[in-house]
Amino acid sequence: MEKLILIICDGLGDIPVNGKTPLQAARKPHIDALARDGECGLMHVFGMGIIPGSDTAHLQLLGYDPFLFYKGRGVFEALGAGIALGEGDVAFRSNFGTVDGRMNVTDRRAGRISTEEARELGKSLRGMKIDGAEVIFRQTVEHRGVLVLKGKGLSPNISDTDPHDGGPLLKARPLDKTREAKRTADILNKFTMLSNKILSAHPLNSKRKKEGTPPANIVLARGASVFERAPTIKGLYGISAACVAGGALYKGVGKYIGMDVLDVKGATGTKDTNLFSKAKAAEKALKNHDLVFLHIKATDSFGHDGDFKGRVGMIEKIDRIMPILRKTGAHIILTADHSTPVALKKHSFHPVPILAYGKLVRGDNVKKFDEIECAMGGIGHIEGRELMPLILSLLGKAKMFGT
Ligand code: ZN
Ligand code: ZN
């Protein structure tokens, strides 16, 4: 029975700085060995000229057309934070912010409050019910969190309370004329004022004020999205899959499509993530899954920071876990969800390098894994929607067309 490890290094694709991309500059003997023994190419995740977001790109790469299955990021963040969602629940991305006495948002990150303090404050917002809907707020990392409204008769068609660029706190408004949208906006507005009342009275905020740090005295919400159940990857493609990731978004995508999302100690979704323990978890998960999806976020973060050296260092760290993965005997696909060039500090249209290795891979003349070499590989230039057919082929699950 064939197995496959799909490694997605977030935002890995780049363009040269002083003649070299980070992949070209990095010392990565193990990854290059996989390129030499495998087959390479370039992948346009959504086609030429389209700049992928991480959420839509992951759906696409995992065989879920985002035009059908993308409902907004809040749903994935909520699932990734461990909240069980039911059909029709509405989820938001949210964060602690600071408002003054006239409800002006003076800091929409509440002074980048620490995870520990934010978690403590989050506890005071538990167990709420407003107008018959259950309201669940869960703090995740630093000032960030997710907000879920659970119940019947809700709608995602409402505006944000988060003013994004500061200024007065916004009132959520229904974006259509339905009762559901009006009701949902009302509930969100009531929750927002209630969060201000509860948090303002919290002793931790009195302490923050005394220390001269901005109190985290409001929960801001944005990007309402509705949960609708999707077919599982097992049902759709006949493969059992596990997800090894640190970031809530990626765990959420895994959960959404019915992967077993593993809790891996040290997998943080940040630059100090423990790649070694993630590789070990992937190795173990292969025993009872066809596919293991291994996500690494930090490559994207270094891209957004414009940190060339940091990105090179991260690639070299990733290189060091390759022997563990190669030894499993599983097929390996190494690629990215989009490019985040350090020179641009944001996602770009540039196609991403892709590498496939394993016993069903034919091979080519590429000897190094980088954006320039991969352009000459045997996989050629593909689109993201072709990745799942490649995965199925390597797993021996592709179907014959005709007889
Ligand atoms: Zn990404
Ligand atoms: Zn990014």
Side-chain angles (χ1 to χ4, degrees):
M1 186 100 128
E2 298 299 331
K3 306 266 175 167
L4 193 141
I5 308 170
L6 171 65
I7 309 161
I8 296 187
C9 300
D10 210 290
L12 180 67
D14 216 309
I15 54 178
V17 176
N18 299 322
K20 274 187 180 172
T21 69
L23 272 173
Q24 287 179 307
R27 250 189 57 79
K28 47 176 183 24
H30 303 300
I31 293 176
D32 287 339
L34 290 172
R36 193 186 58 228
D37 300 339
E39 202 169 308
C40 292
L42 285 180
M43 178 165 68
H44 284 279
V45 173
F46 290 120
M48 178 65 81
I50 300 174
I51 303 169
S54 287
D55 42 16
T56 49
H58 274 79
L59 285 175
Q60 178 81 339
L61 296 181
L62 294 166
Y64 285 72
D65 180 354
F67 286 103
L68 292 175
F69 294 105
Y70 182 63
K71 308 286 172 197
R73 185 154 168 171
V75 160
F76 302 121
E77 297 265 355
L79 288 170
I83 300 175
L85 295 181
E87 204 80 19
D89 290 352
V90 174
F92 305 81
R93 300 173 76 188
S94 70
N95 43 281
F96 283 112
T98 306
V99 287
D100 64 16
R102 289 143 92 188
M103 287 295 168
N104 280 309
V105 178
T106 52
D107 187 337
R108 64 180 289 278
R109 297 190 181 88
R112 286 199 177 266
I113 185 169
S114 72
T115 299
E116 293 69 37
E117 287 201 330
R119 187 154 299 163
E120 195 55 41
L121 289 171
K123 284 184 193 161
S124 67
L125 301 172
R126 280 188 189 162
M128 270 191 208
K129 212 158 186 172
I130 299 175
D131 295 349
E134 200 183 330
V135 182
I136 301 171
F137 170 77
R138 189 154 311 163
Q139 184 273 348
T140 54
V141 180
E142 295 170 342
H143 55 280
R144 299 181 200 93
V146 287
L147 178 69
V148 172
L149 308 183
K150 276 178 106 59
K152 292 219 167 3
L154 298 168
S155 164
N157 214 4
I158 66 164
S159 64
D160 299 348
T161 57
D162 186 340
H164 296 269
D165 297 319
L169 171 75
L170 301 179
K171 235 183 145 131
R173 285 175 294 107
L175 297 176
D176 60 34
K177 293 206 158 59
T178 61
R179 258 195 11 229
E180 288 78 10
K182 174 158 189 330
R183 174 165 180 257
T184 312
D186 285 346
I187 294 171
L188 178 58
N189 288 327
K190 284 181 187 171
F191 166 76
T192 307
M193 296 321 287
L194 200 58
S195 79
N196 177 241
K197 195 174 149 203
I198 294 171
L199 292 170
S200 297
H202 199 288
L204 198 71
N205 271 329
S206 321
K207 187 178 135 247
R208 285 176 70 82
K209 268 192 182 156
K210 251 183 239 148
E211 290 164 349
T213 39
N217 58 7
I218 197 135
V219 173
L220 304 169
R222 64 189 194 278
S225 58
V226 66
F227 177 72
E228 287 164 16
R229 220 169 286 287
T232 62
I233 193 165
K234 179 97 198 177
L236 207 50
Y237 294 110
I239 52 181
S240 58
C243 166
V244 176
L249 171 61
Y250 310 94
K251 288 175 155 175
V253 170
K255 190 103 355 114
Y256 179 67
I257 65 172
M259 288 181 162
D260 288 325
V261 178
L262 307 179
D263 239 322
V264 180
K265 224 179 147 207
T268 56
T270 59
K271 292 169 184 173
D272 60 9
T273 192
N274 188 338
L275 290 180
F276 192 74
S277 88
K278 283 169 92 167
K280 283 289 184 193
E283 179 188 31
K284 202 168 149 216
L286 275 178
K287 294 204 169 78
N288 48 2
H289 297 89
D290 305 315
L291 172 71
V292 176
F293 159 49
L294 173 58
H295 181 263
I296 299 167
K297 180 67 190 171
T299 35
D300 182 55
S301 312
F302 283 113
H304 283 289
D305 294 348
D307 184 349
F308 190 96
K309 257 177 88 180
R311 203 146 139 109
V312 168
M314 194 65 207
I315 293 165
E316 293 179 346
K317 263 195 203 167
I318 295 168
D319 189 67
R320 275 171 232 138
I321 62 165
M322 287 305 152
I324 300 172
L325 303 177
R326 185 168 179 159
K327 242 186 25 222
T328 62
H331 279 88
I332 294 174
I333 291 179
L334 173 62
T335 188
D337 57 341
H338 52 79
S339 295
T340 312
V342 288
L344 303 177
K345 299 189 186 178
K346 59 181 185 188
H347 299 190
S348 76
F349 70 92
H350 300 92
V352 297
I354 175 169
L355 174 169
Y357 162 83
K359 68 174 189 252
L360 289 177
V361 175
R362 190 158 51 189
D364 58 17
N365 288 327
V366 175
K367 293 183 175 59
K368 278 187 159 32
F369 183 70
D370 61 57
E371 296 84 346
I372 312 302
E373 287 292 315
C374 283
M376 290 174 287
I379 292 176
H381 297 231
I382 63 171
E383 290 202 6
R385 65 188 156 77
E386 295 172 273
L387 184 64
M388 189 42 93
L390 173 61
I391 290 171
L392 292 172
S393 302
L394 297 179
L395 285 173
K397 302 217 178 215
K399 296 204 170 63
M400 183 156 60
F401 176 54
T403 53

